[in-house]
């Protein structure tokens, strides 16, 4: 079964939207298979966003995601990556549609509440980065 890595970012935890986000996924019938709260280490955040290392926002992004507790999760189901990405909404605030998590709760490009893997291969790497063997 396909899995994805979902993370409520520090702004989502601070705004008390963790429950809202989990509720939306559970209401959809998706399956939560692992969950933990932690403040990310800089090294983990840098690896997680390594694909963006050359982008101008990279330093600020790593600062942001390590600024406080996040809720790290693994969700499972058929086509889970595409389904959760659709529910999360677009990265650009102008393209994040109402009804999506970002489209309903944020208009900021960086503080956008939630991360979701963008492909099954990326999901496998991210799950291995954030969760140890015994945690799944
Ligand atoms: N981001 C940003 N400015 C940009 C693009 C991205 O601050 O121009 C931040 C934003 O928090 C986003 C994260 O970097 O969620 C990762 O970017 P990506 O393009 O992978 O977006 P996502 O997959 O989260 O939709
Ligand atoms: Mg991404």
């Amino acid at each position: 079964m396909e899995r994805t890595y979902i993370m409520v970012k520090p702004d989502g935890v601070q705004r008390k939207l963790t429950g809202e986000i989990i509720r939306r996924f559970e209401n959809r019938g998706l399956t939560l298979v692992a969950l933990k709260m932690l403040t990310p280490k800089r090294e983990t955040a840098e690896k997680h966003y390594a694909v963006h290392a050359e982008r101008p926002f990279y330093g600020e992004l790593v600062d942001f995601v390590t600024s406080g507790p996040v809720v790290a999760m693994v969700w499972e189901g058929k086509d889970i990556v595409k389904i959760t990405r659709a529910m999360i909404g677009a990265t650009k605030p102008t393209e994040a549609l109402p009804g999506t998590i970002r489209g309903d709760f944020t208009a900021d490009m960086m503080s956008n509440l939630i991360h979701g893997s963008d492909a099954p291969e990326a999901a496998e790497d991210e799950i291995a980065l954030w969760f140890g063997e015994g945690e799944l």
Side-chain angles (χ1 to χ4, degrees), residues 31-98:
T31 301
L32 178 62
V33 296
L35 176 150
K36 64 179 174 182
M37 179 180 254
L38 72 155
T39 299
K41 292 187 183 117
R42 200 161 183 91
E43 191 191 345
T44 309
E46 284 172 351
K47 279 188 193 157
H48 176 77
Y49 282 125
V51 65
H52 297 307
E54 305 307 319
R55 308 279 290 277
F57 58 83
Y58 179 67
E60 198 187 331
L61 177 59
V62 172
D63 288 344
F64 164 57
V65 86
T66 56
S67 66
V70 301
V71 175
M73 296 178 270
V74 178
W75 289 80
E76 185 175 86
K78 185 174 172 352
D79 296 323
I80 194 77
V81 168
K82 277 191 180 167
I83 288 170
T84 49
R85 288 287 296 194
M87 292 174 74
I88 287 168
T91 315
K92 283 189 186 171
T94 51
E95 292 170 10
L97 298 177

Side-chain angles (χ1 to χ4, degrees), residues 10-18 104-106 111 113:
D11 58 327
V13 173
Q14 279 155 28
R15 289 183 54 194
K16 305 190 190 296
L17 289 169
T18 303
D104 285 349
F105 295 108
T106 182
S111 299
L113 304 171

